[in-house]
């Protein structure tokens, strides 16, 4: 009597955890996705005459999960799975005699077994004489003469005598690392979302602390940089919407941060007076009250919730769902960004206000991407980003000086108390002197 036997090794599993029994290890997220994405193509070779199947799995969690994915894929092909996924201890223990008995006893002409290495490789080699390496998720189809099955599994030499077993086809398992790249990026983005929420809470808990606003802005800018980095692979509409929502939120805080920076510079200025400090604090306090009201409003909270929801459930372009993403492609994007930044820095004229501001943002994107996607990009990416730090700090000082000048110019100095107007004029002169000297040195 002949049966068609599908032999499969479980998909990529999580790494062992100390104290955890080996049977309790589950599939990794990348293992699940890679198998779901590639199994339909493998099952295209499924025998057309097989309209029903029994699926057997070892008791281990990782094989049970793999068998469940296989069962769903079979059902999508119109193949009926009889009696659900059945657990067989012999597929864990490697008891070939018990497996042979089970195959002879089965009333189904097609049986799929999901097991472990080295058992699946050894058993297939014993049946067919083919020494095939089974990567995780690999699948083979064998035509088995169950009447002679006992001979083949009990005596290796019997393989030469047994002509009843034939390897029909074999499909190697997927390279799960490509999907692990996507999973790793999702984790980084989710952590970025959590950080933004934590910084929101910290700001509302102590809005008078300048640093709570600064850290909130950094967390949003960082997340926006990460979202911009993954744009080539993410669903375009989702990427655009999330980025727009985050941009709208952080824009509401810009004026407050600018006033905080002006206040800090006033305190550090050699011309600082109590009146100037008090004036700057009053301006910042009024803006802080507005920001607190805006950030706690329903429209802003709606945007935050929408962006958080989208970024916690990233949608990748279909190509990458199907094929995964090579880590080398991610590194290639980073290298291109870093090279573009180097070229822009070399060609930058600090007198160009908008270009200087844009290049500063470029430097931040490179730095944040290197730090957060380090596990994908490699440790040396941090070194590349550090080379940009000095440039970023210099660009930041230039941009801050220009913003300070614009803020002071926006005040009606002739309507202010004379000491405050005088000190603001001196503060503006300090910033203008810094800009002049910086521009002269860069030429």
């Amino acid at each position: 009597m002949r049966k068609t036997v599908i032999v499969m090794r479980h998909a990529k599993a999580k790494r062992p955890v100390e104290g955890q029994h080996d049977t309790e290890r589950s599939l990794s997220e990348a293992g699940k996705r890679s198998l779901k994405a590639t199994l339909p193509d493998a099952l295209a070779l499924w025998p057309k005459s097989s309209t029903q199947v029994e699926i057997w799995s070892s008791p281990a969690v990782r094989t049970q999960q793999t068998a469940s994915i296989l069962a769903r894929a079979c059902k999508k092909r119109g193949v009926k799975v009889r009696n659900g996924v059945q657990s067989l201890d012999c597929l864990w223990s490697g008891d070939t005699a018990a497996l042979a008995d089970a195959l002879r006893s089965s009333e189904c002409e097609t049986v799929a077994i999901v097991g472990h290495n080295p058992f699946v490789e050894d058993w297939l080699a014993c049946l067919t004489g083919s020494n095939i390496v089974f990567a995780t998720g690999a699948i083979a189809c064998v035509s088995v003469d169950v009447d002679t099955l006992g001979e083949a599994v009990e005596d290796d030499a019997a393989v030469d005598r047994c002509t009843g077993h034939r390897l029909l086809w074999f499909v190697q398992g997927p390279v799960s690392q490509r999907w692990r790249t996507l999973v790793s990026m999702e984790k980084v983005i989710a952590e970025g979302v959590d950080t933004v929420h934590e910084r929101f809470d910290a700001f509302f808990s102590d809005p008078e602390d300048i640093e709570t606003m600064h850290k909130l802005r950094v967390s949003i800018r960082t997340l926006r940089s990460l979202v911009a980095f993954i744009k080539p692979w993410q669903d375009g509409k989702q990427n655009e919407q999330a980025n727009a929502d985050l941009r709208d939120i952080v824009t509401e805080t810009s004026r407050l941060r600018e006033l905080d920076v002006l206040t800090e510079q006033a305190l550090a200025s050699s011309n600082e007076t109590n009146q100037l400090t008090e004036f700057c604090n009053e301006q910042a306090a009024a803006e802080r009250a507005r920001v607190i009201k805006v950030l706690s409003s329903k429209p802003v909270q709606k945007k935050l919730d929408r962006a958080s929801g989208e970024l916690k459930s990233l949608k990748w372009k279909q190509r990458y769902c199907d094929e995964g993403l090579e880590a080398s492609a991610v590194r290639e994007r980073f290298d291109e960004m870093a090279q573009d930044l180097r070229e822009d820095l070399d060609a930058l004229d600090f007198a160009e206000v908008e270009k200087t501001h844009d290049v500063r943002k470029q430097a931040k994107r490179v730095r944040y991407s290197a730090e957060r996607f380090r596990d994908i990009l490699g440790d040396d990416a941090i070194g590349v980003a550090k080379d940009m730090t000095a440039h970023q700090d210099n660009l930041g000082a230039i941009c801050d000086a220009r913003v300070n000048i614009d803020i002071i110019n926006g005040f009606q100095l002739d309507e202010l108390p004379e000491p405050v107007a005088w000190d603001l004029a001196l503060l503006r002169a300090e910033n203008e002197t810094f800009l002049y000297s910086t521009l002269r040195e860069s030429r």
Side-chain angles (χ1 to χ4, degrees):
M1 180 170 58
R2 306 190 66 80
K3 288 186 183 296
T4 299
V5 180
I6 307 296
V7 184
M8 187 174 187
R9 184 185 175 192
H10 65 78
K12 187 69 175 179
K14 294 180 180 179
R15 294 179 179 179
V17 176
E18 186 176 355
Q20 181 186 50
H21 193 278
D22 193 37
T23 58
E24 297 175 354
R25 278 202 295 142
S26 61
L27 296 182
S28 67
E29 183 61 28
K32 294 176 185 177
R33 292 194 199 179
S34 60
L35 186 63
K36 290 176 182 178
T38 59
L39 195 53
D41 285 342
L43 295 186
L45 299 170
W46 188 276
K48 292 183 179 179
S49 59
S50 299
T51 58
Q52 55 182 336
V53 63
E54 285 190 356
I55 298 179
W56 303 344
S57 166
S58 93
V61 171
R62 56 190 182 276
T63 50
Q64 294 280 328
Q65 292 174 325
T66 300
S68 294
I69 295 172
L70 175 61
R72 287 193 291 273
C74 287
K75 290 176 182 177
K76 287 183 179 180
R77 286 189 57 81
V79 178
K80 180 181 179 181
V81 179
R82 294 182 54 179
N83 304 316
V85 174
Q86 303 172 55
S87 179
L88 268 66
D89 290 337
C90 62
L91 293 177
W92 173 258
S93 65
D95 187 341
T96 55
L99 178 57
D101 289 340
L103 285 170
R104 279 192 291 267
S105 300
S106 173
E107 297 179 357
C108 196
E109 293 184 358
T110 303
V111 176
I113 64 173
V114 183
H116 311 258
N117 266 350
F119 174 71
V120 293
E121 289 180 350
D122 293 346
W123 194 65
L124 190 68
C126 184
L127 286 179
T128 66
S130 301
N131 293 306
I132 299 176
V133 175
F134 270 67
T136 51
I139 184 169
C141 181
V142 187
S143 176
V144 175
D145 181 351
V146 295
D147 294 328
T148 62
L149 189 58
E151 299 176 18
V153 298
E154 292 172 3
D155 180 5
D156 289 346
V159 172
D160 296 331
R161 304 193 304 272
C162 180
T163 59
H165 314 307
R166 297 193 306 275
L167 177 64
L168 301 179
W169 50 263
F170 171 77
V171 178
Q172 189 56 280
V175 182
S176 62
Q177 286 88 341
R178 295 203 297 265
W179 284 267
R180 188 169 63 194
T181 302
L182 299 177
V183 173
S184 295
M185 289 198 293
E186 290 170 7
K187 180 180 178 183
V188 170
I189 296 295
E191 289 173 348
V193 172
D194 290 340
T195 299
V196 169
H197 282 274
E198 290 169 4
R199 297 289 169 79
F200 256 94
D201 292 341
F203 171 71
F204 284 127
S205 296
D206 190 5
E208 301 302 322
D209 184 349
I210 290 177
E211 279 305 301
T212 61
M213 170 50 61
H214 183 212
K215 290 180 178 179
L216 172 58
R217 283 176 53 79
V218 169
S219 70
I220 298 176
R221 289 203 310 266
T222 299
L223 185 55
R224 287 192 67 203
S225 294
L226 301 180
V227 171
F229 184 83
I230 67 172
K231 184 177 180 179
W233 312 295
Q234 187 187 4
D235 174 80
K237 290 183 178 180
Q238 187 187 54
N239 185 279
E240 182 179 350
Q241 182 65 67
N243 187 51
D245 285 336
L246 293 172
R247 181 190 61 235
D248 290 347
I249 294 170
V250 78
T251 298
E252 292 290 353
T253 69
S254 297
R255 176 69 174 178
L256 175 56
R257 178 56 187 166
E258 291 167 358
L259 289 170
D260 284 341
V261 170
L262 180 67
T263 301
E264 289 178 326
Q265 188 181 34
L267 286 168
S269 173
S270 57
N271 301 306
E272 186 268 337
T273 65
N274 289 336
Q275 286 178 294
L276 176 59
T277 302
E278 185 176 324
F279 173 79
C280 289
N281 283 331
E282 288 174 354
Q283 298 298 312
E287 179 63 12
R288 200 177 313 279
R290 187 196 71 83
V291 169
I292 292 172
K293 183 177 180 179
V294 170
L295 293 188
S296 58
S297 68
K298 287 184 178 180
V300 167
Q301 288 301 311
K302 180 180 179 180
K303 289 180 179 181
L304 178 61
D305 290 342
R306 182 168 57 196
S308 299
E310 294 286 358
L311 296 178
K312 284 269 189 157
S313 301
L314 286 177
K315 299 175 185 175
W316 302 108
K317 293 177 180 177
Q318 192 59 49
R319 171 187 172 185
Y320 302 106
C321 292
D322 295 340
E323 303 175 6
L325 177 65
E326 294 283 2
S328 59
V330 182
R331 179 58 194 249
E332 183 179 347
R333 171 157 171 74
F334 174 78
D335 289 340
E336 289 176 354
M337 287 175 56
Q339 182 58 35
D340 289 344
L341 176 57
R342 292 189 192 95
E343 293 174 359
D344 287 344
L345 284 169
D346 290 341
L348 181 61
D349 181 351
F350 291 148
E352 297 181 44
V353 178
E354 289 301 321
K355 184 62 176 177
T356 301
H357 182 61
D358 289 342
V359 173
R360 182 192 183 191
K361 290 192 292 186
Q362 274 183 269
K364 288 179 179 179
R365 282 196 292 269
V366 170
R367 174 187 164 193
Y368 295 147
S369 297
E371 291 174 347
R372 299 305 192 276
F373 293 122
R374 181 175 186 169
D375 288 346
I376 303 173
L377 298 173
D379 291 341
D380 63 310
I382 297 294
V384 173
K386 284 183 177 178
D387 290 341
M388 310 292 179
T389 301
H391 294 293
Q392 182 179 326
D393 292 343
N394 190 35
L395 293 172
I398 293 171
C399 291
D400 286 347
R402 284 180 169 140
V403 170
N404 286 340
I405 292 170
D406 288 342
I407 291 176
I408 294 172
N409 287 340
F411 293 136
Q412 298 297 322
L413 299 187
D414 57 348
E415 298 179 4
L416 298 176
E418 187 173 295
V420 174
W422 178 250
D423 287 340
L424 284 172
L426 290 175
L427 196 58
R428 178 176 56 197
E430 286 183 11
N431 284 283
E432 290 172 340
T433 300
F434 168 77
L435 280 178
Y436 175 77
S437 62
T438 302
L439 293 176
R440 185 174 61 180
E441 290 173 4
S442 66
R443 291 173 177 169

